[in-house]
Amino acid sequence: MVIALTAVACGDLNVPAGPGPGPGSGASDPADPSTTGAPSPSAAPEVSHDVEPPVASGAPRFADPSAASEAMPTADLPGWKQVFAEDFTDGDVGLGTFPGPIYAPRWSENYADGTPDTAAQQQPKGARTSGYFPSKVLSVHDGVLDMFLHSEDGVAMGAAPSPKLDGASQRPYNSLVYGRYSVRFKADVLPGFKLAWLLWPDSKQWPQDGEIDFPEGDLSKVIYAAVHGVEAGEHRSDVFRPNQPYGDWHIATTEWRADGIEFFLDGKSLGVSTRFVPTKPMHYILQTESCSPNCPLPETNGHVLVDWVSIWERT
């Protein structure tokens, strides 16, 4: 099934973590692609696949060992060496203090309060309706990372934390060429808020160097996966839709290999994309935001819970 959709680039911002400028303040402007490396969104057709899509080469395995149980996987897999595992059981961190001393060696809040998200980058200063506010969104309790999604003073608030490999102290925190990323999560049904948990090119050259998103989608709709690249000189995307709504616990796994990118949801393969396989380093961000294209109502609020995150590198 092939359909035309509007594709909007999601990506990393070249903005330091920690206290920083809020909406409308000075300093380097993340809304300016010249200062961030972020591309201007462009409309382009996407290729949308059914639940069991055809693949260009290689058969999907229809089995993800990361989803064999609800427990966090803590071992190497055939062809993969585990380089990161986090289940948020080392202690609680209150709202406004993440990552704190407990999780700082392994996590970064990534963007300062007030950093414009994907939608806000297209809006003028002083009129932004969304952004990243880790101090008002992120906490750890009861063995989960909690993203409290809500609005304050007309601004919808999200966050985009990143795991750190080997205690990295600066971006990119978890750069790899080929990797396996598995996360167990639960998202409340929240119209206007969305996930775009992604692999973004270290080069910030989009879409030439690719983009991989999973899980992605408005939290009131369905989960999907997307791979972005260039074909015939134009931005194109592969999109995989399992027709699975948010609201329950899921395990989402992205397997980025040299021969293709395979997505698994709750153990079942959604298919393999072989059209736009990145070959340059990319890094992983739990990008959680809003207003693409519609903003949440002011009273809309709820939680995205992350039970665990595991990452492997190719061997």
Side-chain angles (χ1 to χ4, degrees), residues 41-63:
S42 59
E46 295 180 342
V47 177
S48 181
H49 298 285
D50 292 326
V51 178
E52 296 184 6
V55 295
S57 64
R61 292 187 306 244
F62 297 105

Side-chain angles (χ1 to χ4, degrees), residues 88-278:
F88 302 103
T89 57
D90 285 354
D92 293 354
V93 176
L95 192 66
T97 58
F98 182 84
I102 297 175
Y103 297 99
R106 303 189 300 277
W107 286 90
S108 171
E109 68 272 36
N110 209 18
Y111 302 139
D113 281 3
T115 301
D117 60 13
T118 303
Q121 289 180 58
Q122 313 311 313
Q123 298 174 324
K125 288 183 177 181
R128 290 170 179 158
T129 55
S130 60
Y132 300 119
F133 289 85
S135 76
K136 296 177 179 292
V137 170
L138 299 176
S139 66
V140 176
H141 61 84
D142 303 307
V144 297
L145 172 65
D146 187 340
M147 301 187 188
F148 173 45
L149 305 183
H150 65 290
S151 299
E152 294 183 16
D153 300 323
V155 177
M157 298 182 173
S162 280
K164 297 179 179 180
L165 300 185
D166 300 320
S169 60
Q170 60 184 8
R171 290 190 183 89
Y173 295 114
N174 54 70
S175 179
L176 292 174
V177 178
Y178 309 126
R180 193 175 196 280
Y181 306 82
S182 192
V183 56
R184 184 172 187 259
F185 72 99
K186 179 181 179 181
D188 288 343
V189 176
L190 303 171
F193 286 102
K194 68 169 292 185
L195 302 187
W197 293 358
L198 58 81
L199 288 163
W200 184 255
D202 292 359
S203 68
K204 298 184 173 68
Q205 297 303 306
W206 185 96
Q208 295 90 336
D209 290 345
E211 175 187 350
I212 304 170
D213 306 84
F214 186 57
E216 185 170 10
D218 186 292
L219 297 185
S220 68
K221 298 180 181 177
V222 295
I223 300 168
Y224 63 90
V227 181
H228 298 260
V230 173
E231 192 171 69
E234 296 186 10
H235 167 219
R236 294 288 187 266
S237 301
D238 271 355
V239 178
F240 298 82
R241 301 184 183 275
N243 297 320
Q244 177 67 55
Y246 291 94
D248 294 319
W249 284 103
H250 295 287
I251 296 174
T253 299
T254 299
E255 198 169 274
W256 168 31
R257 311 184 302 259
D259 63 343
I261 302 158
E262 188 163 9
F263 301 101
F264 300 87
L265 186 64
D266 300 326
K268 183 177 181 180
S269 175
L270 307 184
V272 183
S273 174
T274 59
R275 296 170 72 203
F276 317 113
V277 180

Side-chain angles (χ1 to χ4, degrees), residues 18-32:
S25 62
S28 177
D29 181 10
D32 180 1

Side-chain angles (χ1 to χ4, degrees), residues 3-19:
I3 60 175
L5 299 171
T6 299
V8 177
C10 308
D12 196 6
L13 303 176
N14 188 20
V15 181

